[in-house]
């Protein structure tokens, strides 16, 4: 359970999708911060399963309901342009070696997520936004890069109250998936509660980019992946 809130612990907003990376992010953030968890529904295929994983992780760490927020970013689904939000676009299978930005990229999604986190963080008096971006294992998404985070921090500094001291940090930015698995294992992160699959909600498909990255990470870390898979390539 989460340690009791103390006045000397700064507040932090953690972007928590319900996936393995954001679960490790919560475990890291709560070591020195009073955490508030932000989840987003943006019309993704596995929206219900991800929300279930988010709630399970929040329950595991004893985060009170008052410090959990789910925002509706349905406009991202209406805009489309991604296989995660448009049912007419198939989710590619087994394409970890593809070049360029994959069709699973949701246009400018992370800017929308960080904007919501910034607004909530300013209201909460938070000093940090924990963001689970990873440059190496991000499938090439442009909004998972260090330069994007640096630019967004300039936006925060420009567009918030003068007294606001809020910064996006990405502790996993230069880690690989095996690194994250090892770190999460050391921190006791509940990987069995997480969900990463882009396509299915009953058992992970084992074929989409997200499943393949996850499976490879656990395999290379030498740690069993505790979630069920329909297929393992």
């Amino acid at each position: 359970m989460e340690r009791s809130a103390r006045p000397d612990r700064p507040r932090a907003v953690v972007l928590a999708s319900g996936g393995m990376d954001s679960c490790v992010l919560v475990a890291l953030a709560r070591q020195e911060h009073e955490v508030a968890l932000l989840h987003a529904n943006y019309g993704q295929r596995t929206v219900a399963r991800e929300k279930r994983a988010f709630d399970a992780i929040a329950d595991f760490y004893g985060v009170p309901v008052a410090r959990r927020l789910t925002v509706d970013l349905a406009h991202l689904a209406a805009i489309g342009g991604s296989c995660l939000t448009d049912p007419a676009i198939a989710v590619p299978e087994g394409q970890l070696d593809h070049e360029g930005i994959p069709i699973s990229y949701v246009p400018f999604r992370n800017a929308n997520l960080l904007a919501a986190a910034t607004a909530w963080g300013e209201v909460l008096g938070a000093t940090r936004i924990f963001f689970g971006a990873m440059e190496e294992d991000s499938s090439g998404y442009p909004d998972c890069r260090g330069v994007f985070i640096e630019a967004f921090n300039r936006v925060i500094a420009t567009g918030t109250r003068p007294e606001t001291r809020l910064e996006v940090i990405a502790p996993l930015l230069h880690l690989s998936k095996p690194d994250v698995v090892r770190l999460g294992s050391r921190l006791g992160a509940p990987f069995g509660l997480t969900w990463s699959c882009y396509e299915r909600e009953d058992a992970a498909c084992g074929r989409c980019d997200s499943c393949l990255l996850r499976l490879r990470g656990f395999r290379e870390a030498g740690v069993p992946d505790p979630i069920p898979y329909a297929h393992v390539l």
Side-chain angles (χ1 to χ4, degrees):
M1 298 294 288
E2 187 185 56
R3 291 175 293 183
S4 299
R6 300 196 315 258
D8 60 323
R9 297 186 77 206
R11 285 188 171 180
V13 175
V14 184
L15 294 179
S17 66
M20 59 175 287
D21 301 333
S22 66
C23 181
V24 174
L25 206 62
V26 175
L28 274 173
R30 65 187 293 272
Q31 291 184 314
E32 297 181 358
H33 296 78
E34 177 186 274
V35 297
L37 307 187
L38 178 69
H39 183 70
N41 294 335
Y42 56 92
Q44 63 269 45
R45 290 172 184 258
T46 56
V47 59
R49 186 63 184 86
E50 289 183 23
K51 179 60 163 57
R52 202 167 90 209
F54 166 78
D55 285 330
I57 293 165
D59 288 345
F60 179 88
Y61 286 115
V63 179
V65 173
R67 284 194 272 115
R68 305 182 196 186
L69 177 64
T70 297
V71 295
D72 185 355
L73 302 179
H75 60 279
L76 293 177
I79 290 168
S82 169
C83 67
L84 300 192
T85 57
D86 187 343
I89 303 175
V91 177
E93 297 181 353
Q95 294 188 8
L96 288 187
D97 296 326
H98 62 73
E99 295 184 1
I101 298 171
I103 194 61
S104 58
Y105 165 66
V106 179
F108 220 47
R109 178 190 62 180
N110 287 341
N112 285 262
L113 291 170
L114 289 172
T118 299
W120 196 31
E122 189 167 20
V123 170
L124 294 176
T127 59
R128 297 286 184 271
I129 296 170
F130 280 74
F131 177 36
M134 296 171 60
E135 284 194 333
E136 180 177 337
D137 280 342
S138 66
S139 297
Y141 297 163
D143 54 359
C144 285
R145 297 174 298 161
V147 291
F148 170 76
I149 296 167
E150 292 169 5
F152 203 90
N153 276 327
R154 292 195 294 273
V155 169
I156 293 174
T158 304
T160 56
R161 295 184 183 93
E163 64 269 23
T164 297
R165 296 292 180 268
L166 185 59
E167 178 186 19
V168 178
I169 63 170
L172 311 182
L173 188 65
H174 300 298
L175 301 185
S176 66
K177 273 289 191 291
D179 293 333
V180 171
V181 173
R182 295 184 192 103
L183 175 59
S185 296
R186 288 197 300 272
L187 295 173
F191 285 130
L193 301 178
T194 66
W195 198 253
S196 304
C197 184
Y198 284 157
E199 189 165 22
R200 295 179 56 153
E201 297 187 311
D202 52 349
C205 73
R207 293 173 171 170
C208 68
D209 279 6
S210 186
C211 281
L212 292 174
L213 284 168
R214 176 180 175 129
L215 285 165
R216 185 172 70 185
F218 275 95
R219 183 175 63 251
E220 293 182 1
V223 177
D225 188 345
I227 71 167
Y229 286 86
H231 305 280
V232 177
L233 297 179

